[in-house]
Amino acid sequence: MLTTTFGALADPTRLAIVGRLSRGDATMGELAEPHRITPPAMTKHVGVLVEAGLVSRRRVGRTMVCTLRPEALSEMERWLDDLTAYWNSTVDRLEELLRGDNDGD
């Protein structure tokens, strides 16, 4: 799932769509406007985000409204937290070694 999430967000247009949806729901037209892309291209981008579980869409009359699914980002957040903790502990250990605080280890 994490690979799918990062793959979906690797495209600048899709990353911008997620950024826009983080501020609230938007129609397909509203999402397409700043990118100057065709409706079929926007449908394809949103489809990738839907398949990755990052976005849901629903029909309201004749309009398709998209919503960010923040819970889908939780796996990525956990992975980033683990990675951050690893690097923080590595840097802390390096600092100890450079200061000579290794107590003979």
Side-chain angles (χ1 to χ4, degrees), residues 2 71 73-84:
L2 196 56
E71 65 276 7
L73 298 173
S74 62
E75 183 182 6
M76 186 170 62
E77 183 179 22
R78 282 190 301 275
W79 181 81
L80 289 170
D81 287 346
D82 290 345
L83 193 62
T84 300

Side-chain angles (χ1 to χ4, degrees), residues 56-104:
S56 64
R57 57 186 166 193
R58 68 186 184 286
R59 189 165 295 281
V60 178
R62 292 180 27 194
T63 304
M64 190 65 71
V65 178
C66 298
T67 303
L68 182 64
R69 297 185 64 240
E71 65 276 7
L73 298 173
S74 62
E75 183 182 6
M76 186 170 62
E77 183 179 22
R78 282 190 301 275
W79 181 81
L80 289 170
D81 287 346
D82 290 345
L83 193 62
T84 300
Y86 166 77
W87 282 110
N88 285 339
S89 69
T90 300
V91 169
D92 290 347
R93 180 73 177 134
L94 178 60
E95 287 175 347
E96 289 173 14
L97 289 170
L98 292 173
R99 283 194 313 260
D101 295 346
N102 59 0
D103 295 329

Side-chain angles (χ1 to χ4, degrees), residues 12-21 23 26-38 42:
T13 300
R14 291 192 291 268
L15 188 60
I17 291 167
V18 169
R20 167 56 187 85
L21 291 175
R23 297 189 313 270
T27 65
M28 295 289 276
E30 291 168 339
L31 293 173
E33 189 177 321
H35 304 286
R36 297 179 184 225
I37 60 176
T38 64
M42 180 53 64

